[in-house]
Amino acid sequence: MRLSRFAALTSSLLLAAGAALFGAGQAAAAQADFGYVALGDSYSSGVGAGNYDGGSGNCKRTSRAYPALWAAAHSPQTFSFTACSGARTGDVLANQLAPLNSGTDLVSITIGGNDAGFSDVMTTCVLQSESTCVSRVNQARTYVDSTLPGRLDQVYNAIDSRSPGAHVVVLGYPRFYKLNGTCTAGLTEGERAAINGAADYLNAAIAKRAADHGFTYASVAGAFTGHEICSGSAWLHSVNWLNIGESYHPTAAGQSGGYLPVFTNAA
């Protein structure tokens, strides 16, 4: 696992506090050169949190997403935010990697959910029977076994090639539902359990590929525990028929209370 360069630079600043003025100046200059690039899909762009940047178009990036919140709090010299709603691994490779270079210090990414068919799984489960839902979930799990690892390898290899010295944080996805919770309508408990299990399965595959590349995997499942759909204090949107794209995405509170502290701890 690579040492967090942001953590290392912060430690350098603390040590420099008692050092000579010249040494402190060098540490401050090192921090000033810190560069952060945020890649990924809608969970990184901030879909569901609102206040979207009109200039980002259909990517729906927002200042309420964890990458922008982290950058606002830590003031890196450079911050490139290329995460985009709907992105798959191929989209990251084709459209998001340009800001990466040998001087990039920190990279964050959420990717893999759209490759595994996240949107179609949820549509199937909401509109069709429990057996059809579970069958579609199992189909997604088969894809996670057979195809996704190779797709993730392509992305992770490209990041490493462009920014070999960067500390890369790969974040996972939350479980959607609190089982036996407050919901009295909608999906069955069997469907909710299958979807939660699929999220865990996807996260395990992503974590394995991240570790094999020397990247840091950061789970958000614990941060969202008690804030799932059906919890009574949800940090995730349920089905929103008036804005279907925000369904099953973190709210602004999910970005600031769930993703942000997890990323901050891992950065």
Side-chain angles (χ1 to χ4, degrees):
M1 182 181 296
R2 300 176 181 179
L3 175 66
S4 166
R5 292 179 67 179
F6 181 80
L9 290 172
T10 301
S11 297
S12 295
L13 285 175
L14 291 174
L15 290 172
L21 178 61
F22 180 71
Q26 285 183 321
Q31 186 187 42
D33 290 339
F34 195 87
Y36 168 38
V37 179
L39 312 171
D41 55 23
S42 53
Y43 279 70
S44 289
S45 71
V47 170
N51 195 37
Y52 306 116
D53 175 7
S56 69
N58 290 333
C59 286
K60 293 189 175 180
R61 290 185 284 270
T62 172
S63 59
R64 296 175 181 172
Y66 76 85
L69 294 172
W70 189 93
H74 295 89
S75 301
Q77 184 187 40
T78 59
F79 170 49
S80 298
F81 192 10
T82 60
C84 188
S85 175
R88 300 186 180 194
T89 50
D91 298 309
V92 174
L93 292 169
N95 304 315
Q96 297 188 22
L97 302 182
L100 294 175
N101 56 56
S102 59
T104 301
D105 299 283
L106 177 65
V107 177
S108 65
I109 185 169
T110 56
I111 201 68
N114 291 317
D115 291 75
F118 155 77
S119 179
D120 186 61
V121 167
M122 297 313 301
T123 299
T124 299
C125 290
V126 168
L127 298 178
Q128 300 191 43
S129 68
E130 178 175 318
S131 61
T132 304
C133 168
V134 172
S135 176
R136 182 63 184 89
V137 167
N138 288 337
Q139 181 183 346
R141 290 167 68 112
T142 298
Y143 179 92
V144 169
D145 285 336
S146 64
T147 307
L148 185 61
R151 300 284 174 86
L152 293 175
D153 283 341
Q154 291 176 351
V155 172
Y156 297 163
N157 284 335
I159 294 171
D160 193 48
S161 176
R162 288 172 175 261
S163 301
H167 176 59
V168 182
V169 180
V170 178
L171 295 100
Y173 299 95
R175 298 186 188 100
F176 288 164
Y177 293 101
K178 178 177 175 60
L179 300 181
N180 301 308
T182 60
C183 293
T184 58
L187 302 185
T188 67
E189 284 297 287
E191 289 171 324
R192 293 171 185 146
I195 291 166
N196 281 359
D200 289 341
Y201 202 75
L202 172 62
N203 285 332
I206 294 171
K208 176 64 166 60
R209 300 317 308 140
D212 286 349
H213 285 264
F215 297 166
T216 296
Y217 176 75
S219 172
V220 298
F224 277 83
T225 298
H227 296 286
E228 310 95 331
I229 299 167
C230 304
S231 68
S233 180
W235 285 352
L236 293 158
H237 293 280
S238 186
V239 178
N240 182 350
W241 296 111
L242 299 179
N243 191 341
I244 200 68
E246 292 195 341
S247 301
Y248 303 106
H249 284 84
T251 63
Q255 288 286 339
S256 63
Y259 271 92
L260 177 61
V262 169
F263 176 58
T264 299
N265 288 336

